[in-house]
Amino acid sequence: MPKLIILSPAFILWLIFCSILTVFVVKDAIKRSYRKTYIFFWGVFTFFFPMLGPTIYLIVRK
């Protein structure tokens, strides 16, 4: 039964959505020349919390 959840279209779309948001945030962090630890933090934070991560990043960025 768990295999059906992992392979469901909704789960696959959710992973794609998380990945796209992560790529956008990391690209912007690199463009603003953040340190590598910050880039890693924002990438992980955005991937695991896709609604919260980019919102906080937009508020906190310089």
Side-chain angles (χ1 to χ4, degrees):
M1 193 66 146
K3 290 182 181 178
L4 295 175
I5 294 171
I6 292 174
L7 297 177
S8 70
F11 185 75
I12 292 171
L13 286 173
W14 184 255
L15 282 177
I16 291 170
F17 176 71
C18 294
S19 301
I20 289 172
L21 279 177
T22 302
V23 166
F24 285 146
V25 168
V26 167
K27 276 188 172 185
D28 187 64
I30 290 172
K31 184 178 80 174
R32 294 175 181 275
S33 65
Y34 284 174
R35 292 189 303 193
K36 290 188 187 283
T37 53
Y38 288 158
I39 293 170
F40 178 74
F41 168 76
W42 284 115
V44 170
F45 189 67
T46 303
F47 185 79
F48 287 114
F49 303 104
M51 297 302 170
L52 187 63
T55 306
I56 293 176
Y57 176 76
L58 289 173
I59 293 170
V60 172
R61 74 179 186 175
K62 297 177 183 176

